Amino acid sequence: MSRLSTLYRMRGLTLIELMIAMLIGTILILGIVQVFASSRAAYQLSEGLARVQENGRFAMDYLQRDIRMAGHFGCVNDQAMMRQNPPALSTTFAAGAHPALNFGVSIQGYEAAGTGPGSNDVSLSATDAADFAPALPAEFSAQMADAVAGSDVIVLRYLAPEGVPVTSTTGTSAAPVFHFDSSRWSVLQSGVANPGVFGVGDCMGAAVFQAQATGAAAGTVTLGAPPNNTVALSKVFTPGQAVLYRAENAIYYVATNATGGRSLYRLRFLFAPNAANPVVDKEELVEGVESMQLLFGQDRELNANNPPTGYIDRQYTAAVIETNSPTAIENAWRRVGAVQVGLVMASPDRAAADQASAANKLNALGVTFAAPADRRFRSVYQSTIALRNRLYGN
């Protein structure tokens, strides 16, 4: 083999060939990167949309379920109780008791400052303290220091949906002992380890009280005289007709979570038997809820001396309801028969959707929000919820 042919076989690429190869490779890589970036953006948008929809459904389900229970006091609905003289609903708690025990008002709202219908450019990233009208009771605000500005609050009180029949009653009329099937103690617990506030009702009336003692093994709830019972039980309940329930209170609000985002929270005050002060049960329910807006539908007839008409034809904020009826606030809330809920939801992570422009404002129940430029996907979910225990004649 000649030396010339050997050198020919050993010859490499020229500089021009190398540059052409690099150019072709760069074009291919750029194309692959572009396809990857587009796929990643589409995935992020799809994931953000899915998470917002999922969290929105969960949040609305929690609210709908509990708001519909407001005013549940056994087989006597809340509006019927208003028309009786004396009222069919009674409690053993005085006016100055813990506000969570105010079962005479089964639904109540608190309007965040600057968020009435017609408000514009409400911030979704405000870090200042929340301000409400009417003002939150001190017992509530002490546990809600993390509540965010620009989001309303709703307070619900009712008897749990399931109860146990009262099989017999012993003790005295002022301090009865209610007996029930001990195997159904878990029904009264309903996820609360040591319940202490109960309601007993039949189709003539209902009473809410704090128990002095409970006996899971014996199947008893003793009324007695625990610290929060300052009013004597004024009703007599017949075994076989009366049902015993656990009394529930729940406060829904939006607060900052552990990661710095916003979530829907539920706050409950759980009184154990014979306990003066409650145990605070606060739990994060759904992440990504940035604001909750509320409007309350009132009955056409607001005069406490007249029966409700059953027509819910006006929607007010919590502040307006109490301003319109400053001397009859409890009656004003008793005439609420529907609640409109608007939730501003955000994806937990970036979703390649910049909604900070003027064309992408978010509107919830007439309140317009200015979304921050954090590239999270946002959407608004709204629902009108009828309070089935508060609709007169139902």
mmCIF file of all heavy atoms in Angstrom, residues 22-66:
data_model
loop_
_atom_site.group_PDB
_atom_site.id
_atom_site.type_symbol
_atom_site.label_atom_id
_atom_site.label_comp_id
_atom_site.label_asym_id
_atom_site.label_seq_id
_atom_site.Cartn_x
_atom_site.Cartn_y
_atom_site.Cartn_z
ATOM 1 N N MET A 22 -21.822 21.289 13.197
ATOM 2 C CA MET A 22 -22.199 21.945 14.449
ATOM 3 C C MET A 22 -23.467 22.763 14.273
ATOM 4 O O MET A 22 -24.344 22.799 15.165
ATOM 5 C CB MET A 22 -21.052 22.835 14.937
ATOM 6 C CG MET A 22 -19.828 22.057 15.419
ATOM 7 S SD MET A 22 -18.474 23.158 15.926
ATOM 8 C CE MET A 22 -19.241 24.018 17.288
ATOM 9 N N LEU A 23 -23.610 23.424 13.133
ATOM 10 C CA LEU A 23 -24.802 24.213 12.874
ATOM 11 C C LEU A 23 -26.041 23.328 12.818
ATOM 12 O O LEU A 23 -27.089 23.646 13.411
ATOM 13 C CB LEU A 23 -24.633 24.998 11.572
ATOM 14 C CG LEU A 23 -25.846 25.818 11.125
ATOM 15 C CD1 LEU A 23 -26.179 26.885 12.174
ATOM 16 C CD2 LEU A 23 -25.586 26.461 9.763
ATOM 17 N N ILE A 24 -25.917 22.218 12.089
ATOM 18 C CA ILE A 24 -27.058 21.290 11.998
ATOM 19 C C ILE A 24 -27.411 20.748 13.383
ATOM 20 O O ILE A 24 -28.579 20.659 13.775
ATOM 21 C CB ILE A 24 -26.730 20.150 11.019
ATOM 22 C CG1 ILE A 24 -26.575 20.713 9.594
ATOM 23 C CG2 ILE A 24 -27.809 19.079 11.060
ATOM 24 C CD1 ILE A 24 -26.104 19.683 8.588
ATOM 25 N N GLY A 25 -26.395 20.385 14.174
ATOM 26 C CA GLY A 25 -26.647 19.869 15.516
ATOM 27 C C GLY A 25 -27.306 20.909 16.410
ATOM 28 O O GLY A 25 -28.214 20.590 17.196
ATOM 29 N N THR A 26 -26.832 22.176 16.276
ATOM 30 C CA THR A 26 -27.420 23.248 17.083
ATOM 31 C C THR A 26 -28.886 23.464 16.736
ATOM 32 O O THR A 26 -29.733 23.644 17.621
ATOM 33 C CB THR A 26 -26.634 24.555 16.875
ATOM 34 O OG1 THR A 26 -25.266 24.350 17.245
ATOM 35 C CG2 THR A 26 -27.238 25.683 17.709
ATOM 36 N N ILE A 27 -29.192 23.428 15.435
ATOM 37 C CA ILE A 27 -30.588 23.595 15.010
ATOM 38 C C ILE A 27 -31.459 22.472 15.574
ATOM 39 O O ILE A 27 -32.572 22.699 16.061
ATOM 40 C CB ILE A 27 -30.667 23.644 13.470
ATOM 41 C CG1 ILE A 27 -29.986 24.916 12.950
ATOM 42 C CG2 ILE A 27 -32.114 23.585 13.010
ATOM 43 C CD1 ILE A 27 -29.881 24.986 11.449
ATOM 44 N N LEU A 28 -30.940 21.257 15.513
ATOM 45 C CA LEU A 28 -31.695 20.117 16.047
ATOM 46 C C LEU A 28 -31.911 20.261 17.545
ATOM 47 O O LEU A 28 -33.005 19.998 18.071
ATOM 48 C CB LEU A 28 -30.968 18.809 15.723
ATOM 49 C CG LEU A 28 -30.936 18.390 14.249
ATOM 50 C CD1 LEU A 28 -30.076 17.145 14.068
ATOM 51 C CD2 LEU A 28 -32.350 18.140 13.737
ATOM 52 N N ILE A 29 -30.857 20.669 18.265
ATOM 53 C CA ILE A 29 -30.976 20.825 19.726
ATOM 54 C C ILE A 29 -31.973 21.922 20.070
ATOM 55 O O ILE A 29 -32.801 21.771 20.983
ATOM 56 C CB ILE A 29 -29.594 21.113 20.338
ATOM 57 C CG1 ILE A 29 -28.704 19.874 20.230
ATOM 58 C CG2 ILE A 29 -29.736 21.538 21.801
ATOM 59 C CD1 ILE A 29 -27.281 20.104 20.671
ATOM 60 N N LEU A 30 -31.885 23.062 19.328
ATOM 61 C CA LEU A 30 -32.831 24.142 19.582
ATOM 62 C C LEU A 30 -34.269 23.688 19.332
ATOM 63 O O LEU A 30 -35.200 24.059 20.070
ATOM 64 C CB LEU A 30 -32.494 25.348 18.699
ATOM 65 C CG LEU A 30 -31.235 26.131 19.078
ATOM 66 C CD1 LEU A 30 -30.964 27.228 18.052
ATOM 67 C CD2 LEU A 30 -31.382 26.734 20.480
ATOM 68 N N GLY A 31 -34.476 22.909 18.296
ATOM 69 C CA GLY A 31 -35.812 22.387 18.018
ATOM 70 C C GLY A 31 -36.307 21.491 19.131
ATOM 71 O O GLY A 31 -37.467 21.569 19.561
ATOM 72 N N ILE A 32 -35.410 20.611 19.610
ATOM 73 C CA ILE A 32 -35.784 19.706 20.704
ATOM 74 C C ILE A 32 -36.108 20.499 21.973
ATOM 75 O O ILE A 32 -37.083 20.216 22.679
ATOM 76 C CB ILE A 32 -34.658 18.694 20.962
ATOM 77 C CG1 ILE A 32 -34.502 17.755 19.755
ATOM 78 C CG2 ILE A 32 -34.920 17.899 22.238
ATOM 79 C CD1 ILE A 32 -33.296 16.835 19.842
ATOM 80 N N VAL A 33 -35.256 21.526 22.248
ATOM 81 C CA VAL A 33 -35.502 22.364 23.435
ATOM 82 C C VAL A 33 -36.834 23.086 23.318
ATOM 83 O O VAL A 33 -37.596 23.185 24.297
ATOM 84 C CB VAL A 33 -34.341 23.365 23.620
ATOM 85 C CG1 VAL A 33 -34.696 24.414 24.676
ATOM 86 C CG2 VAL A 33 -33.067 22.641 24.006
ATOM 87 N N GLN A 34 -37.136 23.584 22.112
ATOM 88 C CA GLN A 34 -38.400 24.292 21.911
ATOM 89 C C GLN A 34 -39.586 23.356 22.109
ATOM 90 O O GLN A 34 -40.588 23.716 22.738
ATOM 91 C CB GLN A 34 -38.434 24.902 20.503
ATOM 92 C CG GLN A 34 -39.674 25.743 20.218
ATOM 93 C CD GLN A 34 -39.744 26.961 21.098
ATOM 94 O OE1 GLN A 34 -38.730 27.533 21.464
ATOM 95 N NE2 GLN A 34 -40.962 27.355 21.466
ATOM 96 N N VAL A 35 -39.492 22.149 21.573
ATOM 97 C CA VAL A 35 -40.566 21.169 21.762
ATOM 98 C C VAL A 35 -40.722 20.825 23.239
ATOM 99 O O VAL A 35 -41.836 20.733 23.768
ATOM 100 C CB VAL A 35 -40.279 19.905 20.927
ATOM 101 C CG1 VAL A 35 -41.259 18.790 21.292
ATOM 102 C CG2 VAL A 35 -40.355 20.214 19.438
ATOM 103 N N PHE A 36 -39.576 20.650 23.918
ATOM 104 C CA PHE A 36 -39.624 20.333 25.344
ATOM 105 C C PHE A 36 -40.255 21.471 26.143
ATOM 106 O O PHE A 36 -41.098 21.246 27.027
ATOM 107 C CB PHE A 36 -38.217 20.051 25.872
ATOM 108 C CG PHE A 36 -38.150 19.878 27.356
ATOM 109 C CD1 PHE A 36 -38.551 18.688 27.958
ATOM 110 C CD2 PHE A 36 -37.702 20.912 28.171
ATOM 111 C CE1 PHE A 36 -38.499 18.537 29.334
ATOM 112 C CE2 PHE A 36 -37.642 20.776 29.545
ATOM 113 C CZ PHE A 36 -38.045 19.582 30.128
ATOM 114 N N ALA A 37 -39.846 22.722 25.821
ATOM 115 C CA ALA A 37 -40.391 23.880 26.542
ATOM 116 C C ALA A 37 -41.889 24.010 26.311
ATOM 117 O O ALA A 37 -42.655 24.286 27.244
ATOM 118 C CB ALA A 37 -39.663 25.157 26.113
ATOM 119 N N SER A 38 -42.325 23.797 25.067
ATOM 120 C CA SER A 38 -43.752 23.882 24.770
ATOM 121 C C SER A 38 -44.527 22.785 25.486
ATOM 122 O O SER A 38 -45.605 23.018 26.041
ATOM 123 C CB SER A 38 -43.979 23.798 23.257
ATOM 124 O OG SER A 38 -43.335 24.856 22.589
ATOM 125 N N SER A 39 -43.970 21.570 25.492
ATOM 126 C CA SER A 39 -44.626 20.462 26.186
ATOM 127 C C SER A 39 -44.693 20.714 27.692
ATOM 128 O O SER A 39 -45.702 20.432 28.342
ATOM 129 C CB SER A 39 -43.879 19.159 25.903
ATOM 130 O OG SER A 39 -43.859 18.866 24.519
ATOM 131 N N ARG A 40 -43.593 21.266 28.223
ATOM 132 C CA ARG A 40 -43.556 21.555 29.656
ATOM 133 C C ARG A 40 -44.574 22.638 30.021
ATOM 134 O O ARG A 40 -45.288 22.526 31.026
ATOM 135 C CB ARG A 40 -42.155 21.993 30.057
ATOM 136 C CG ARG A 40 -41.976 22.227 31.558
ATOM 137 C CD ARG A 40 -40.504 22.439 31.870
ATOM 138 N NE ARG A 40 -40.305 22.650 33.284
ATOM 139 C CZ ARG A 40 -40.321 23.844 33.887
ATOM 140 N NH1 ARG A 40 -40.517 24.942 33.156
ATOM 141 N NH2 ARG A 40 -40.139 23.964 35.195
ATOM 142 N N ALA A 41 -44.673 23.675 29.185
ATOM 143 C CA ALA A 41 -45.643 24.737 29.441
ATOM 144 C C ALA A 41 -47.072 24.208 29.359
ATOM 145 O O ALA A 41 -47.931 24.548 30.185
ATOM 146 C CB ALA A 41 -45.442 25.882 28.452
ATOM 147 N N ALA A 42 -47.329 23.343 28.355
ATOM 148 C CA ALA A 42 -48.663 22.758 28.226
ATOM 149 C C ALA A 42 -48.985 21.877 29.427
ATOM 150 O O ALA A 42 -50.117 21.881 29.939
ATOM 151 C CB ALA A 42 -48.759 21.954 26.930
ATOM 152 N N TYR A 43 -47.971 21.119 29.891
ATOM 153 C CA TYR A 43 -48.176 20.268 31.064
ATOM 154 C C TYR A 43 -48.461 21.106 32.306
ATOM 155 O O TYR A 43 -49.357 20.797 33.090
ATOM 156 C CB TYR A 43 -46.953 19.387 31.293
ATOM 157 C CG TYR A 43 -46.990 18.653 32.619
ATOM 158 C CD1 TYR A 43 -47.761 17.509 32.773
ATOM 159 C CD2 TYR A 43 -46.268 19.120 33.706
ATOM 160 C CE1 TYR A 43 -47.815 16.846 33.989
ATOM 161 C CE2 TYR A 43 -46.299 18.465 34.928
ATOM 162 C CZ TYR A 43 -47.077 17.327 35.063
ATOM 163 O OH TYR A 43 -47.130 16.686 36.266
ATOM 164 N N GLN A 44 -47.679 22.196 32.491
ATOM 165 C CA GLN A 44 -47.880 23.060 33.650
ATOM 166 C C GLN A 44 -49.266 23.696 33.633
ATOM 167 O O GLN A 44 -49.940 23.762 34.667
ATOM 168 C CB GLN A 44 -46.810 24.153 33.684
ATOM 169 C CG GLN A 44 -45.426 23.674 34.082
ATOM 170 C CD GLN A 44 -44.425 24.810 34.088
ATOM 171 O OE1 GLN A 44 -44.502 25.733 33.289
ATOM 172 N NE2 GLN A 44 -43.463 24.730 34.997
ATOM 173 N N LEU A 45 -49.693 24.148 32.473
ATOM 174 C CA LEU A 45 -51.013 24.750 32.365
ATOM 175 C C LEU A 45 -52.100 23.733 32.650
ATOM 176 O O LEU A 45 -53.059 24.005 33.378
ATOM 177 C CB LEU A 45 -51.191 25.353 30.976
ATOM 178 C CG LEU A 45 -52.506 26.095 30.722
ATOM 179 C CD1 LEU A 45 -52.665 27.249 31.699
ATOM 180 C CD2 LEU A 45 -52.572 26.594 29.288
ATOM 181 N N SER A 46 -51.946 22.531 32.082
ATOM 182 C CA SER A 46 -52.926 21.472 32.316
ATOM 183 C C SER A 46 -52.949 21.063 33.787
ATOM 184 O O SER A 46 -54.021 20.882 34.384
ATOM 185 C CB SER A 46 -52.609 20.262 31.431
ATOM 186 O OG SER A 46 -53.491 19.197 31.702
ATOM 187 N N GLU A 47 -51.756 20.939 34.386
ATOM 188 C CA GLU A 47 -51.679 20.564 35.798
ATOM 189 C C GLU A 47 -52.261 21.659 36.688
ATOM 190 O O GLU A 47 -52.987 21.378 37.644
ATOM 191 C CB GLU A 47 -50.210 20.312 36.172
ATOM 192 C CG GLU A 47 -49.966 19.994 37.636
ATOM 193 C CD GLU A 47 -50.457 18.630 38.044
ATOM 194 O OE1 GLU A 47 -50.837 17.835 37.153
ATOM 195 O OE2 GLU A 47 -50.461 18.342 39.251
ATOM 196 N N GLY A 48 -51.947 22.920 36.369
ATOM 197 C CA GLY A 48 -52.492 24.027 37.151
ATOM 198 C C GLY A 48 -53.998 24.092 37.066
ATOM 199 O O GLY A 48 -54.683 24.278 38.076
ATOM 200 N N LEU A 49 -54.539 23.929 35.857
ATOM 201 C CA LEU A 49 -55.990 23.924 35.678
ATOM 202 C C LEU A 49 -56.633 22.784 36.452
ATOM 203 O O LEU A 49 -57.662 22.963 37.119
ATOM 204 C CB LEU A 49 -56.323 23.832 34.193
ATOM 205 C CG LEU A 49 -57.809 23.702 33.823
ATOM 206 C CD1 LEU A 49 -58.575 24.916 34.316
ATOM 207 C CD2 LEU A 49 -57.972 23.540 32.322
ATOM 208 N N ALA A 50 -56.029 21.589 36.386
ATOM 209 C CA ALA A 50 -56.586 20.429 37.076
ATOM 210 C C ALA A 50 -56.581 20.629 38.594
ATOM 211 O O ALA A 50 -57.554 20.307 39.284
ATOM 212 C CB ALA A 50 -55.803 19.166 36.708
ATOM 213 N N ARG A 51 -55.464 21.181 39.127
ATOM 214 C CA ARG A 51 -55.373 21.391 40.566
ATOM 215 C C ARG A 51 -56.366 22.453 41.034
ATOM 216 O O ARG A 51 -56.989 22.313 42.096
ATOM 217 C CB ARG A 51 -53.952 21.805 40.953
ATOM 218 C CG ARG A 51 -52.913 20.693 40.793
ATOM 219 C CD ARG A 51 -53.197 19.510 41.716
ATOM 220 N NE ARG A 51 -53.169 19.907 43.121
ATOM 221 C CZ ARG A 51 -52.070 19.983 43.854
ATOM 222 N NH1 ARG A 51 -50.895 19.699 43.314
ATOM 223 N NH2 ARG A 51 -52.140 20.326 45.120
ATOM 224 N N VAL A 52 -56.523 23.508 40.237
ATOM 225 C CA VAL A 52 -57.487 24.548 40.601
ATOM 226 C C VAL A 52 -58.906 23.991 40.597
ATOM 227 O O VAL A 52 -59.697 24.254 41.513
ATOM 228 C CB VAL A 52 -57.358 25.748 39.638
ATOM 229 C CG1 VAL A 52 -58.560 26.681 39.759
ATOM 230 C CG2 VAL A 52 -56.083 26.520 39.941
ATOM 231 N N GLN A 53 -59.253 23.215 39.583
ATOM 232 C CA GLN A 53 -60.586 22.624 39.520
ATOM 233 C C GLN A 53 -60.824 21.661 40.679
ATOM 234 O O GLN A 53 -61.888 21.671 41.311
ATOM 235 C CB GLN A 53 -60.775 21.906 38.185
ATOM 236 C CG GLN A 53 -60.886 22.831 36.989
ATOM 237 C CD GLN A 53 -61.045 22.082 35.689
ATOM 238 O OE1 GLN A 53 -60.638 20.917 35.555
ATOM 239 N NE2 GLN A 53 -61.627 22.723 34.694
ATOM 240 N N GLU A 54 -59.821 20.837 40.953
ATOM 241 C CA GLU A 54 -59.954 19.868 42.039
ATOM 242 C C GLU A 54 -60.111 20.567 43.382
ATOM 243 O O GLU A 54 -61.021 20.256 44.161
ATOM 244 C CB GLU A 54 -58.727 18.952 42.057
ATOM 245 C CG GLU A 54 -58.769 17.887 43.139
ATOM 246 C CD GLU A 54 -57.510 17.040 43.147
ATOM 247 O OE1 GLU A 54 -56.405 17.609 42.982
ATOM 248 O OE2 GLU A 54 -57.628 15.822 43.311
ATOM 249 N N ASN A 55 -59.235 21.525 43.670
ATOM 250 C CA ASN A 55 -59.309 22.236 44.942
ATOM 251 C C ASN A 55 -60.579 23.074 45.046
ATOM 252 O O ASN A 55 -61.159 23.191 46.127
ATOM 253 C CB ASN A 55 -58.077 23.130 45.123
ATOM 254 C CG ASN A 55 -56.810 22.324 45.361
ATOM 255 O OD1 ASN A 55 -56.867 21.156 45.727
ATOM 256 N ND2 ASN A 55 -55.656 22.941 45.147
ATOM 257 N N GLY A 56 -61.001 23.644 43.916
ATOM 258 C CA GLY A 56 -62.237 24.411 43.924
ATOM 259 C C GLY A 56 -63.435 23.555 44.263
ATOM 260 O O GLY A 56 -64.322 23.963 45.031
ATOM 261 N N ARG A 57 -63.479 22.347 43.711
ATOM 262 C CA ARG A 57 -64.593 21.441 44.019
ATOM 263 C C ARG A 57 -64.569 21.021 45.486
ATOM 264 O O ARG A 57 -65.614 20.985 46.151
ATOM 265 C CB ARG A 57 -64.530 20.201 43.122
ATOM 266 C CG ARG A 57 -64.973 20.450 41.694
ATOM 267 C CD ARG A 57 -65.255 19.143 40.974
ATOM 268 N NE ARG A 57 -64.066 18.303 40.898
ATOM 269 C CZ ARG A 57 -63.215 18.297 39.885
ATOM 270 N NH1 ARG A 57 -63.420 19.117 38.876
ATOM 271 N NH2 ARG A 57 -62.173 17.505 39.876
ATOM 272 N N PHE A 58 -63.375 20.700 46.000
ATOM 273 C CA PHE A 58 -63.274 20.307 47.405
ATOM 274 C C PHE A 58 -63.717 21.438 48.324
ATOM 275 O O PHE A 58 -64.483 21.235 49.267
ATOM 276 C CB PHE A 58 -61.843 19.887 47.735
ATOM 277 C CG PHE A 58 -61.518 18.472 47.369
ATOM 278 C CD1 PHE A 58 -60.383 18.171 46.641
ATOM 279 C CD2 PHE A 58 -62.347 17.431 47.746
ATOM 280 C CE1 PHE A 58 -60.078 16.863 46.285
ATOM 281 C CE2 PHE A 58 -62.054 16.125 47.404
ATOM 282 C CZ PHE A 58 -60.912 15.836 46.673
ATOM 283 N N ALA A 59 -63.211 22.650 48.071
ATOM 284 C CA ALA A 59 -63.549 23.783 48.924
ATOM 285 C C ALA A 59 -65.043 24.077 48.892
ATOM 286 O O ALA A 59 -65.676 24.291 49.937
ATOM 287 C CB ALA A 59 -62.753 25.015 48.493
ATOM 288 N N MET A 60 -65.620 24.077 47.702
ATOM 289 C CA MET A 60 -67.041 24.363 47.592
ATOM 290 C C MET A 60 -67.874 23.261 48.236
ATOM 291 O O MET A 60 -68.925 23.528 48.844
ATOM 292 C CB MET A 60 -67.422 24.542 46.127
ATOM 293 C CG MET A 60 -68.749 25.247 45.920
ATOM 294 S SD MET A 60 -68.783 26.942 46.554
ATOM 295 C CE MET A 60 -67.852 27.804 45.281
ATOM 296 N N ASP A 61 -67.401 22.017 48.166
ATOM 297 C CA ASP A 61 -68.128 20.914 48.781
ATOM 298 C C ASP A 61 -68.145 21.057 50.303
ATOM 299 O O ASP A 61 -69.190 20.846 50.938
ATOM 300 C CB ASP A 61 -67.483 19.577 48.394
ATOM 301 C CG ASP A 61 -68.207 18.384 49.011
ATOM 302 O OD1 ASP A 61 -69.352 18.123 48.625
ATOM 303 O OD2 ASP A 61 -67.624 17.726 49.901
ATOM 304 N N TYR A 62 -67.000 21.403 50.884
ATOM 305 C CA TYR A 62 -66.964 21.630 52.334
ATOM 306 C C TYR A 62 -67.954 22.717 52.730
ATOM 307 O O TYR A 62 -68.732 22.561 53.686
ATOM 308 C CB TYR A 62 -65.554 22.049 52.768
ATOM 309 C CG TYR A 62 -64.595 20.913 53.003
ATOM 310 C CD1 TYR A 62 -63.449 20.787 52.220
ATOM 311 C CD2 TYR A 62 -64.802 19.984 54.009
ATOM 312 C CE1 TYR A 62 -62.547 19.755 52.423
ATOM 313 C CE2 TYR A 62 -63.909 18.944 54.221
ATOM 314 C CZ TYR A 62 -62.781 18.846 53.427
ATOM 315 O OH TYR A 62 -61.895 17.811 53.635
ATOM 316 N N LEU A 63 -67.931 23.827 52.016
ATOM 317 C CA LEU A 63 -68.787 24.952 52.370
ATOM 318 C C LEU A 63 -70.257 24.630 52.153
ATOM 319 O O LEU A 63 -71.106 24.921 53.015
ATOM 320 C CB LEU A 63 -68.387 26.181 51.555
ATOM 321 C CG LEU A 63 -67.021 26.780 51.898
ATOM 322 C CD1 LEU A 63 -66.580 27.763 50.819
ATOM 323 C CD2 LEU A 63 -67.061 27.474 53.251
ATOM 324 N N GLN A 64 -70.592 24.021 51.039
ATOM 325 C CA GLN A 64 -71.986 23.690 50.763
ATOM 326 C C GLN A 64 -72.550 22.739 51.804
ATOM 327 O O GLN A 64 -73.674 22.925 52.295
ATOM 328 C CB GLN A 64 -72.108 23.074 49.370
ATOM 329 C CG GLN A 64 -71.921 24.054 48.230
ATOM 330 C CD GLN A 64 -71.922 23.374 46.884
ATOM 331 O OE1 GLN A 64 -71.688 22.167 46.775
ATOM 332 N NE2 GLN A 64 -72.174 24.131 45.830
ATOM 333 N N ARG A 65 -71.780 21.740 52.164
ATOM 334 C CA ARG A 65 -72.254 20.739 53.121
ATOM 335 C C ARG A 65 -72.582 21.357 54.471
ATOM 336 O O ARG A 65 -73.651 21.109 55.042
ATOM 337 C CB ARG A 65 -71.191 19.650 53.289
ATOM 338 C CG ARG A 65 -71.600 18.523 54.234
ATOM 339 C CD ARG A 65 -70.417 17.617 54.471
ATOM 340 N NE ARG A 65 -69.290 18.352 55.037
ATOM 341 C CZ ARG A 65 -68.046 17.897 55.065
ATOM 342 N NH1 ARG A 65 -67.755 16.732 54.526
ATOM 343 N NH2 ARG A 65 -67.079 18.616 55.610
ATOM 344 N N ASP A 66 -71.691 22.193 54.988
ATOM 345 C CA ASP A 66 -71.912 22.754 56.319
ATOM 346 C C ASP A 66 -72.879 23.933 56.297
ATOM 347 O O ASP A 66 -73.656 24.111 57.247
ATOM 348 C CB ASP A 66 -70.581 23.181 56.935
ATOM 349 C CG ASP A 66 -69.827 22.010 57.544
ATOM 350 O OD1 ASP A 66 -70.348 20.874 57.459
ATOM 351 O OD2 ASP A 66 -68.730 22.198 58.077
#
